[in-house]
Amino acid sequence: MTAVQGTTVDIPTEDGTADAYLSHPVDGGPHPAVLLYMDAFGPRPRLNAMADRLAEAGHTVLVPNVFYRHGRAPVVELPEFIDVSSRPALFERLGPIMQSLTPDQAMADAGAYLRWLADCPAAADGPVALTGYCMGAGLALRTAGTYPERVAAAAGFHGGRLASDSPDSPHLVAEHITAELYFGHADEDPSLPPEQIQRLEDALTAAGVRHRCEVYSGAHHGFTQADTSTYHREGDERHWAALLDLLKRTF
C-alpha cells in the first residue's frame, strides 16, 4: 500500500481563502491530480479518507471547502454519524448555505482550485480529473464544461438536480465538455428523478460527450458516505471500481 500524506492547505480565491484537504503519496514525485468535490456536509474525516484512498492509488487529491465564505470546515458542527434524526436540523442550517453558492461563484472558485493545482509541486502537469458527490456531482459537471482545457475526466455520484428545468442547470454545459464522464445515480433518489436522468443522458449524447451513466439498484442519495445512514456498501464498492477505472483510463 502506498504511504500518503494529508495536510490542510489554503487556496486564495476572488472572494477570500478556501480551506482544503490535500492528500498525496509521500514518494516526493508529482502525481496526476484529482479535484474532489464535497457533498453538502462538507470536508470531514470521511471525505479525507476518500481522498487518502485515491492518493494510495497514485493521485494528488484536493478537497476544497466550497462553503468557505461561511467559515472554515466544518461550517456547521457535525455528529460522528449522520442519521435520519440529525438530518432536519443540519439541513435547516446547510440549506441556505447551499443556496447561497451561485454557479458563477462556484465556477470562479473552480478556476482558483485548478490554478492552485497547476502550481502544486505534488501535482503532475496537465489536465486533472474530477469526482463529486451529491451537490459535488453538479459542480464536477459544471467545471468540466467551464474549464474543458483543464479537465480530462469527471465523475459524479448520487448527484441531485443535474438536469432540471432551471435556466442554469448543470447539464446545459454539455456542449462545451471534452472530458470523459461517468455518473453513478441512486435509483431511490428524489433529487434526481428518472426524467432528469434521461435528460442528462440525452444532453451528453447530443453533445457527443464520451460518457457512461448507470443507475445503482437499491442505492439512496448519499450511498457512498459511510458516516451517514444512507450508506450502501454495494453501491460504494461499485463506485470505487468505476472511479478508479475512469482514472486509470485518464492517466
Side-chain angles (χ1 to χ4, degrees):
M1 182 177 295
T2 301
V4 303
Q5 177 180 349
T7 56
T8 299
V9 297
D10 287 339
I11 302 171
T13 74
E14 293 180 3
D15 291 333
T17 301
D19 53 303
Y21 179 75
L22 179 73
S23 184
H24 58 86
V26 297
D27 58 14
H31 296 271
V34 177
L35 174 59
L36 191 160
Y37 275 124
M38 58 183 243
D39 61 359
F41 298 125
R44 61 193 190 281
R46 171 57 181 172
L47 291 189
N48 293 354
M50 294 173 73
D52 290 345
R53 181 165 175 175
L54 288 174
E56 289 170 357
H59 304 286
T60 291
V61 188
L62 183 69
V63 188
N65 170 22
V66 305
F67 293 156
Y68 70 88
R69 291 175 180 83
H70 299 269
R72 299 180 71 87
V75 174
V76 303
E77 185 176 353
L78 299 171
E80 288 188 12
F81 185 78
I82 302 168
D83 59 16
V84 174
S85 65
S86 60
R87 285 175 177 268
L90 287 175
F91 277 105
E92 184 176 355
R93 298 183 62 189
L94 287 170
I97 295 173
M98 292 172 62
Q99 294 169 11
S100 72
L101 181 64
T102 68
D104 285 346
Q105 287 176 332
M107 290 305 96
D109 292 343
Y113 308 148
L114 293 170
R115 287 191 297 273
W116 192 91
L117 281 170
D119 293 334
C120 176
D125 293 338
V128 309
L130 317 172
T131 186
Y133 301 87
C134 300
M135 63 170 283
L139 293 175
L141 176 57
R142 208 182 288 278
T143 301
T146 305
Y147 299 96
E149 73 287 352
R150 291 286 292 125
V151 179
F157 299 92
H158 44 81
R161 296 185 58 79
L162 296 178
S164 71
D165 293 326
S166 171
D168 59 3
S169 175
H171 79 288
L172 297 176
V173 304
E175 63 181 312
H176 304 295
I177 293 173
T178 58
E180 179 179 354
L181 304 187
Y182 176 88
F183 287 96
H185 306 307
D187 74 340
E188 300 181 33
D189 189 349
S191 71
L192 194 73
E195 59 269 23
Q196 287 200 39
I197 292 176
Q198 189 61 53
R199 187 179 294 140
L200 175 62
E201 175 71 34
D202 291 345
L204 296 176
T205 299
V209 177
R210 293 168 296 151
H211 72 281
R212 187 163 86 240
C213 298
E214 298 182 320
V215 178
Y216 290 19
S217 178
H220 293 263
H221 186 80
F223 64 80
T224 63
Q225 301 304 303
D227 60 349
T228 76
S229 57
T230 58
Y231 181 67
H232 185 262
R233 183 176 298 277
E234 181 181 345
D236 184 35
E237 292 174 353
R238 184 176 173 184
H239 133 262
W240 279 113
L243 177 57
L244 291 172
D245 184 58
L246 176 65
L247 294 178
K248 184 177 179 180
R249 292 198 305 276
T250 302
F251 299 123

